[in-house]
Structures are given as C-alpha cells and as structure tokens.
Amino acid sequence: MVGLGFQIMSVLFNGEAVDQAMNENKAPQNLVHDGVMLGYFADQTQARVSGMARYLYAHTIGYSVNGNVLAMNGWQIPFTVTDQQLQPVQWEAPDQDGNTITWKLEPLADAKTEVEARANSDATASSKDVDVHNLTTAQMAHWVKIVIQSQAADYNAGDYTFTQNFVDGYAEVYVYSHQQLTKIYRVDANGDLQAADPDDRNNWQVVSKTYQ
C-alpha cells in the first residue's frame, strides 16, 4: 500500500446520480466539492490527504488494513491491488441522516505531488510559526476541520458546513451538521482553539493547543 495514490469521491446519493441529487436539493450542496479526497499512503499506518475545497490543506490521517478491507476516514473499503496499483471500487456508507452515499475509489497518478501541492505553508506550520491571533478565514476553517475529523468516529466532509463571524473581539467559527448548528469555535487569548455548545456559550473548552 505504501506509496500508492488514490482519489475518492461520491457518485450516488440514495441510488441517484449525486449531481442530479444536488440539483434537486436532495443531497447536501457541498457533497462533491467538500467530499473529494486525494491521497497517498505515506507509510504502513498513515496516509497524506487533501481535497478540492480551498481549506482542505494536506494533512495526515490514520488507516489500517485487514485482509482486503481498508479502514480509513470512517469507511470500510474493499480494495484490490493489481500490478502495484489500486483498482477502482465502489462501496456504500450511510450519512448521519440515514441516507446512503455510494463512494468510488480510483487510483491517482502522481498523488504525492497533487496532495503536497495543497500543503499551504501557513496551514501546516506549528503555532510557533503562525500568528494564531490573526488567522485567515481559510486557516480557521482548516484548524476546526482537522479537530472535528480527529474526534468524529465516522467523519464525512459532506456532513459539515462552516460560517464565521466576529463576536466580542473573537473570530468565531460556526459548525453546522445537516443544517443544525452543533458547535462554535474560537481562538482564546493564549492562542488555543476553544469550543462551546451553542446553548452554553459560557462554557468554553480548549480542544487544541497547537495550530494544525
């Protein structure tokens, strides 16, 4: 697996072509744009991935292999390697609302180049190299997304949308899942990323101390 490249994208939403489902407002409008994953297997346990959306910078996620099943990003992906190349495969996975999304994995030539081209130097630097009190909109969204992905057992980018606003001097990120506001994030005076529930804004908890 090490060194092999791949592209993953949604192709069907409840059995209907995903583009048509989005046009008919049946599927999340960001399902394709935010859901595409480009990646390559960097070593035996980690893959480097990015996406098409501007805030989906290159980052590292874990994976494991059990027989011919690849566990990654909350998916259980049946796979085959022939002549040192991943073979195209489709599989189904439910979203949080119970809809069935059909995903497709295809081999991606020059995957490392494609992924690392999205390794924004600001986004991948440590908090010592980035002014966390003056993050761009894309940097804020990236940090929040990485935290959500690390905490979600079955992460699906298409389940989330983000908006931002300034409140009492803080840049806040509002996270929506299936059109419901689920979490609010902000950077505190120490440069740590905090999170609070929408109905308990007086209870902020530090969720990340290092910009990712």
Side-chain angles (χ1 to χ4, degrees):
M1 297 288 285
V2 176
L4 299 182
F6 58 86
Q7 173 178 288
I8 295 173
M9 65 184 302
S10 57
V11 292
L12 298 176
F13 184 84
N14 289 333
E16 184 177 2
V18 67
D19 289 338
Q20 181 176 342
M22 289 193 298
N23 289 337
E24 296 173 351
N25 292 319
K26 296 178 181 178
Q29 296 302 299
N30 64 338
L31 180 58
V32 172
H33 182 256
D34 289 359
V36 173
M37 177 185 287
L38 313 175
Y40 67 95
F41 299 103
D43 57 33
Q44 297 286 351
T45 60
Q46 294 184 320
R48 287 281 287 168
V49 300
S50 63
M52 302 304 295
R54 67 190 180 100
Y55 58 81
L56 298 181
Y57 298 109
H59 57 283
T60 301
I61 64 173
Y63 78 93
S64 63
V65 174
N66 184 6
N68 288 325
V69 177
L70 166 67
M72 182 175 66
N73 201 45
W75 294 314
Q76 298 292 317
I77 308 172
F79 76 96
T80 303
V81 176
T82 303
D83 295 329
Q84 298 184 333
Q85 181 170 280
L86 285 164
Q87 299 302 300
V89 65
Q90 294 187 14
W91 73 98
E92 295 181 349
D95 67 11
Q96 292 182 356
D97 290 332
N99 297 298
T100 299
I101 301 177
T102 302
W103 298 91
K104 183 177 183 180
L105 176 148
E106 296 179 311
L108 178 65
D110 299 323
K112 184 174 183 178
T113 300
E114 291 282 344
V115 171
E116 299 304 338
R118 294 170 172 82
N120 181 285
S121 58
D122 289 339
T124 56
S126 72
S127 58
K128 295 180 181 179
D129 302 315
V130 174
D131 184 356
V132 292
H133 299 291
N134 292 285
L135 296 175
T136 66
T137 299
Q139 288 171 335
M140 279 289 291
H142 174 78
W143 195 359
V144 170
K145 176 187 176 298
I146 295 303
V147 168
I148 294 172
Q149 185 171 358
S150 69
Q151 296 173 342
D154 296 306
Y155 177 80
N156 178 6
D159 291 341
Y160 300 94
T161 56
F162 306 86
T163 62
Q164 297 189 30
N165 199 3
F166 283 93
V167 178
D168 298 329
Y170 291 98
E172 295 188 344
V173 177
Y174 301 88
V175 179
Y176 294 83
S177 179
H178 309 293
Q179 301 183 344
Q180 297 294 320
L181 179 61
T182 58
K183 212 75 171 178
I184 303 172
Y185 294 83
R186 73 181 188 186
V187 177
D188 66 16
N190 296 320
D192 299 331
L193 185 66
Q194 296 181 323
D197 293 328
D199 57 355
D200 191 12
R201 290 178 57 91
N202 293 321
N203 184 21
W204 291 90
Q205 302 292 325
V206 173
V207 293
S208 179
K209 288 181 172 291
T210 303
Y211 182 79
Q212 303 179 55

